[in-house]
């Protein structure tokens, strides 16, 4: 593609965005054209309406293509956490004698680790939490071990496997639309590496992505995701609660949510919210209680997640690192970060791209995916080296 631009499809739980982008000044990602379309969405169990998804993707891609004169042969697709299974593995390759570690040695470590998993799903990416060379030192950047002499190479490795039905639905659709090559990127990994700096990730880091119909919590260490889980709750959950509790329609629920803020303290009982479009009015305290109740459902899921994986070790795991909150919910539910902090008894912060005009949490996945797609443009794809677990087993 001209100007070394890339094409990316960001799939969120209620909308899809197709865009073109390239590297700008200081290697920062720049959007050249984009289009967003809504559809019926998905849950942890899959798409609610595949045809709705197909129509939204087709409309978004067609819109951008109308303004682009070149040929777009390859597309990068953000795979949501609901369709990605993260598997971690400690793996070691030993050598007959000391040798200088090379990029090929690291690739071989990944390949043998993947083969040992005997996974049935398709592996779309791999990353590392860290490497070691037989000593106690952790190397968080694999380039730091190149040229070092050692008889062993060890890695705390992460493999990202994609759901079969999701892969087939998306790849078939995009090839029908004329894309010769489709590469999937784990969306939460892209966001973790882009939003959380390297120093933060050298200890346990946490990313809570609040979407529209689904949300996810990721534990990040080094350049990999340690644990991850998706929940069927988000902005839509709060809107439904407002509709049901106040007996109102969707448009009025959106108006209420857009003007509400749950970050404050006690609200006077006589304070009233009034619609600018209709004659509807409701106590602000009642509205805030409903929104907080919806957020509490998400918080309960997050609490269960940490109890499941860390139990009594939570205090040491969380020491010094806040929960970074991003996604649509960090913007559309004003005060969400403060309420979640109080509910979880954890420090929180809102994470967003450091990019002019796109410095909002709702753009996190788009900017992060573009950055990941651009970062691999001049490198040999790891899939060229060992192809992914499933492609070798079923397509070989």
């Amino acid at each position: 593609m001209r100007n070394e631009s890339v094409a990316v499809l960001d799939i969120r739980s209620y909308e899809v965005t197709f865009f073109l982008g390239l590297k700008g000044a200081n290697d920062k990602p720049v959007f050249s054209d984009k289009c967003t379309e809504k559809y019926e969405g998905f849950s942890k169990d899959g798409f609610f309406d595949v045809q709705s998804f197909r129509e939204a993707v087709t409309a978004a891609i067609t819109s951008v293509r109308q303004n682009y004169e070149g040929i777009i042969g390859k597309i990068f697709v953000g795979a949501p956490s609901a369709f990605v299974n993260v598997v971690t593995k400690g793996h070691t390759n030993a050598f007959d004698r000391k040798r200088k570690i090379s990029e090929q040695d690291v690739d071989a470590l990944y390949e043998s680790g993947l083969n040992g998993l005997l996974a049935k799903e398709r592996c779309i990416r791999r990353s590392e939490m860290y490497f070691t060379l037989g000593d106690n030192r952790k190397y968080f950047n694999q380039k730091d071990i190149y040229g070092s002499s050692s008889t062993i190479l060890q890695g705390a490795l992460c493999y990202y496997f994609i759901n079969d039905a999701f892969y087939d639905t998306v790849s078939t659709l995009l090839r029908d639309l004329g894309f010769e090559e489709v590469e999937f990127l784990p969306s939460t990994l892209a966001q973790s590496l882009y939003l959380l700096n390297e120093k933060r990730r050298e200890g346990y880091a946490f990313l809570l992505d609040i979407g529209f119909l689904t949300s996810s919590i990721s534990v990040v260490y080094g350049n990999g995701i340690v644990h991850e889980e998706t929940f069927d709750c988000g902005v839509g959950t709060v809107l439904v609660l407002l509709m049901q509790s106040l007996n109102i329609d969707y448009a009025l629920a959106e108006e209420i949510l857009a003007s509400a803020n749950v970050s404050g303290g006690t609200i006077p009982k006589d304070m009233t919210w009034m619609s600018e479009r209709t004659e509807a009015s409701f106590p602000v305290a009642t509205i805030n209680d409903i929104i907080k109740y919806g957020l509490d459902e998400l918080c309960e899921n997050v609490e269960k997640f940490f109890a499941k994986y860390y139990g009594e070790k939570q205090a040491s795991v969380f020491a010094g690192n806040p929960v970074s909150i991003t996604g649509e919910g960090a913007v559309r539910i004003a005060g969400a970060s403060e309420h979640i902090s109080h509910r979880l008894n954890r420090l929180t912060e809102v994470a967003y791209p450091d990019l002019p005009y796109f410095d909002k949490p709702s753009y996190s996945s788009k900017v992060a995916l573009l950055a990941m797609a651009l970062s691999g443009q001049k490198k040999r794809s790891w899939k060229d080296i060992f192809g992914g677990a499933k492609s070798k087993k079923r397509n070989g």
Side-chain angles (χ1 to χ4, degrees):
M1 287 176 283
R2 59 182 185 177
N3 298 329
E4 297 182 354
S5 60
V6 296
V8 181
L9 178 66
D10 179 32
I11 301 174
R12 301 292 290 178
S13 59
Y14 194 52
E15 65 182 26
V16 296
T17 302
F18 176 69
F19 56 89
L20 305 179
L22 64 160
K23 286 184 179 180
N26 300 319
D27 283 340
K28 287 196 173 183
V30 176
F31 291 87
S32 56
D33 199 2
K34 65 183 179 67
C35 179
T36 297
E37 295 285 343
K38 287 184 170 55
Y39 69 109
E40 291 299 314
F42 64 76
S43 69
K44 292 190 300 181
D45 297 324
F47 290 112
F48 293 122
D49 186 334
V50 173
Q51 185 58 31
S52 170
F53 170 74
R54 290 177 60 91
E55 291 172 357
V57 172
T58 300
I61 291 176
T62 301
S63 177
V64 172
R65 273 179 166 166
Q66 290 175 346
N67 301 317
Y68 186 75
E69 297 179 356
I71 297 174
I72 308 172
K74 179 176 181 178
I75 184 171
F76 293 89
V77 180
S81 60
F83 303 105
V84 175
N85 178 33
V86 183
V87 178
T88 59
K89 179 182 177 65
H91 191 63
T92 302
N93 276 359
F95 313 118
D96 294 336
R97 58 182 182 275
K98 274 193 174 184
R99 62 192 292 177
K100 290 186 176 181
I101 303 300
S102 66
E103 184 177 2
Q104 288 70 31
D105 292 320
V106 174
D107 290 332
L109 181 73
Y110 276 118
E111 181 176 2
S112 59
L114 178 62
N115 290 337
L117 290 175
L118 298 176
K120 295 182 179 180
E121 294 176 304
R122 187 183 302 267
C123 185
I124 58 170
R125 201 167 185 90
R126 83 291 191 272
S127 67
E128 75 287 343
M129 287 178 264
Y130 57 84
F131 294 103
T132 68
L133 298 176
D135 51 18
N136 292 324
R137 181 180 175 185
K138 295 178 180 178
Y139 297 86
F140 292 98
N141 187 331
Q142 74 176 55
K143 291 182 180 179
D144 291 341
I145 64 176
Y146 293 165
S148 299
S149 295
S150 178
T151 57
I152 64 171
L153 173 60
Q154 299 174 317
L157 310 177
C158 305
Y159 297 93
Y160 305 84
F161 297 93
I162 193 168
N163 173 273
D164 277 348
F166 176 81
Y167 177 88
D168 291 340
T169 296
V170 177
S171 58
T172 299
L173 168 61
L174 294 176
R175 288 193 170 93
D176 287 346
L177 290 172
F179 292 98
E180 298 174 358
E181 186 177 354
V182 181
E183 182 171 338
F184 290 85
L185 307 175
S187 183
T188 49
L189 176 64
Q191 292 183 76
S192 299
L193 299 181
Y194 185 83
L195 297 172
L196 308 176
N197 63 50
E198 291 183 8
K199 190 64 178 177
R200 170 79 61 83
R201 291 186 272 110
E202 287 182 6
Y204 286 102
F206 314 96
L207 183 68
L208 177 59
D209 180 359
I210 306 176
F212 193 86
L213 296 177
T214 66
S215 300
S216 65
I217 180 70
S218 305
V219 180
V220 188
Y221 196 99
N223 295 317
I225 292 178
V226 186
H227 299 294
E228 183 171 81
E229 210 162 290
T230 301
F231 317 115
D232 288 336
C233 51
V235 177
T237 306
V238 175
L239 288 170
V240 170
L241 282 172
L242 287 169
M243 293 168 62
Q244 294 175 340
S245 302
L246 302 177
N247 193 27
I248 58 176
D249 61 18
Y250 183 82
L252 190 53
E254 279 196 313
E255 184 184 354
I256 291 174
L257 188 60
S259 60
N261 191 318
V262 296
S263 64
T266 304
I267 302 295
K269 292 183 178 180
D270 58 350
M271 184 177 289
T272 303
W273 175 88
M274 300 185 67
S275 172
E276 296 181 355
R277 301 184 303 104
T278 69
E279 297 180 358
S281 64
F282 303 97
V284 173
T286 300
I287 291 172
N288 283 8
D289 286 344
I290 296 170
I291 296 172
K292 289 178 180 179
Y293 184 83
L295 287 172
D296 285 346
E297 180 182 345
L298 174 60
C299 291
E300 288 171 6
N301 282 308
V302 173
E303 286 179 326
K304 291 177 182 176
F305 169 84
F306 285 119
K308 174 182 177 181
Y309 289 109
Y310 298 104
E312 297 179 355
K313 297 180 180 179
Q314 290 188 50
S316 59
V317 169
F318 273 91
N321 277 352
V323 176
S324 298
I325 300 175
T326 196
E328 297 92 324
V331 176
R332 295 189 63 177
I333 308 176
S337 178
E338 292 86 347
H339 179 75
I340 292 171
S341 176
H342 176 74
R343 181 66 170 72
L344 296 179
N345 193 27
R346 309 287 184 195
L347 292 174
T348 61
E349 65 177 14
V350 176
Y352 52 88
D354 179 18
L355 199 65
Y357 307 108
F358 299 98
D359 53 349
K360 298 178 179 61
S362 53
Y363 282 106
S364 290
S365 60
K366 299 170 184 58
V367 176
L369 287 169
L370 177 56
M372 179 174 276
L374 290 170
S375 70
Q377 276 301 88
K378 294 184 179 181
K379 299 176 182 178
R380 183 171 56 146
S381 170
W382 69 273
K383 291 189 291 184
D384 293 337
I385 300 169
F386 58 89
K390 188 166 185 179
S391 58
K392 292 176 71 174
K393 291 178 181 178
R394 294 194 179 181
N395 299 335

